[in-house]
Amino acid sequence: MPTPILSIITVCFCAREELRATLENVLMQTWKHFEYLVIDGGSGDGTKELLETTSLQFEKAEIPFRFVSEPDQGIYDAMNKGTRMAGGNWLLFLNAGDLLADSHVLEHIFREPSKGQILYGDTVCIYQNNQKLYPALPLTHLPYEMAFCHQSAFIRRELLLEHPYDITYRVCADHHFFLSMYLQNKIFDYRSLPVSIYEISGYSDTNKWISHQEKHRMQQELGIFRFSVSWLLREIRFYISQGVKTLLGQKFIDRVRRNRLQS
């Protein structure tokens, strides 16, 4: 069997129904030069049984499919495990519940060869049945925030083997990786098309305080922290925003997000 060009990797834990949606979505791709790996953290909700059944569908589609179901040290440890298992030249991480934007995405992405080490595109975000296209931001945003979703980024496998995710970061190891690569002048290649569909309810979205602390840590570790008026204003905005959300509760957050996605 020829070496796959791409390895799509899904890490999951006790997310059987979300995983089912991702499996079905991946099977719909018109471009088939990839393998699919699932790294399950030893779920007890029937995930392993679902994977055993689904393997027959991938076999019929002639898409190489492998999975492991065993305890790990969290999301980024599982992603590193997937990197080591992968055989493709490129890696794409889709978490359980994440989807590719349409059935032709991979065909469009790999139609033209890339000289980049990280290839990325735009993301469709969904919240309570509302959706909106979020184009990737300029890479100059990376010191402060993710410029694109990791679900919309293809990474050269050798790059991640050389620079695996730092699992001491609980929420922001992917941000830390992309920022590190940006500061090392690795080659980023942007494609102006939606790559993935991401529902706003993920791990990092529900751990804003931890994420904020880890962003400070990575700025200091990578030597880019600078006290400035703009830094102070960003800090004030963050604490005001989190304070308002805490004070007004989830219904307020839901209303703001719906309005944002409908605009």
Side-chain angles (χ1 to χ4, degrees), residues 14-261:
C14 291
R16 180 182 60 183
E17 294 310 310
E18 292 86 350
L19 175 61
R20 189 192 303 274
T22 303
L23 293 167
E24 293 173 354
N25 174 265
V26 169
L27 279 165
M28 291 171 58
Q29 286 299 303
T30 56
W31 185 88
K32 305 288 187 182
H33 304 285
F34 67 91
E35 65 173 358
Y36 189 57
L37 310 178
V38 177
I39 315 299
D40 173 53
S43 302
D45 64 344
T47 292
K48 185 176 181 181
E49 291 75 13
L50 170 64
L51 292 169
E52 290 170 344
T53 302
T54 306
S55 63
L56 298 175
Q57 298 178 44
F58 280 90
E59 184 178 341
K60 289 179 181 178
E62 299 184 339
I63 298 171
F65 175 76
R66 290 177 286 153
F67 72 89
V68 295
S69 183
E70 60 190 21
D72 53 50
Q73 298 180 57
I75 294 172
Y76 297 110
D77 180 48
M79 292 168 76
N80 286 337
K81 185 186 297 184
T83 298
R84 295 190 297 269
M85 284 179 57
N89 297 320
W90 290 94
L91 306 179
L92 171 66
F93 292 96
L94 286 179
N95 294 335
D98 295 334
L99 308 174
L100 291 165
D102 60 58
S103 60
H104 300 284
V105 167
L106 299 182
E107 185 178 336
H108 294 321
I109 286 290
F110 290 101
R111 180 178 295 162
E112 298 179 11
S114 174
K115 295 182 180 179
Q117 295 161 290
I118 296 170
L119 173 61
Y120 67 103
D122 304 326
T123 304
V124 176
C125 290
I126 295 179
Y127 191 73
Q128 296 187 343
N129 298 318
N130 297 291
Q131 66 179 45
K132 183 176 182 179
L133 174 66
Y134 281 86
L137 298 171
L139 295 178
T140 50
H141 283 246
L142 273 173
Y144 316 106
E145 62 183 322
M146 281 287 283
F148 49 83
C149 278
H150 83 260
Q151 296 95 328
S152 295
F154 302 82
I155 307 166
R156 294 277 187 184
R157 179 172 179 262
E158 65 266 21
L159 193 64
L160 260 177
L161 285 173
E162 185 177 352
H163 305 279
Y165 293 113
D166 183 346
I167 65 172
T168 64
Y169 285 90
R170 292 171 53 194
V171 178
C172 293
D174 51 345
H175 188 179
H176 176 265
F177 167 78
F178 289 121
L179 177 56
S180 298
M181 297 304 99
Y182 173 69
L183 295 174
Q184 292 179 39
N185 296 314
K186 303 300 183 183
I187 303 171
F188 287 72
D189 181 6
Y190 170 63
R191 302 291 172 86
S192 181
L193 77 163
V195 173
S196 68
I197 300 174
Y198 164 68
E199 186 164 1
I200 303 175
S201 61
Y203 182 66
S204 60
D205 189 65
T206 55
N207 289 274
K208 292 294 186 183
W209 291 104
I210 298 174
S211 174
H212 191 68
Q213 293 168 356
E214 290 189 348
K215 286 175 185 177
H216 284 177
R217 175 187 159 194
M218 76 175 73
Q219 289 169 353
Q220 292 170 347
E221 286 186 354
L222 296 173
I224 60 170
F225 175 79
R226 300 289 185 275
F227 181 82
S228 65
V229 173
S230 61
W231 175 87
L232 183 59
L233 290 174
R234 280 194 300 271
E235 288 295 293
I236 292 172
R237 282 197 298 269
F238 172 80
Y239 284 103
I240 290 175
S241 172
Q242 294 306 304
V244 169
K245 289 177 181 178
T246 300
L247 182 64
L248 297 181
Q250 188 62 44
K251 288 184 178 180
F252 170 78
I253 297 172
D254 292 343
R255 184 166 62 251
V256 169
R257 285 179 171 166
R258 284 196 299 268
N259 292 340
R260 185 181 299 164
L261 266 66

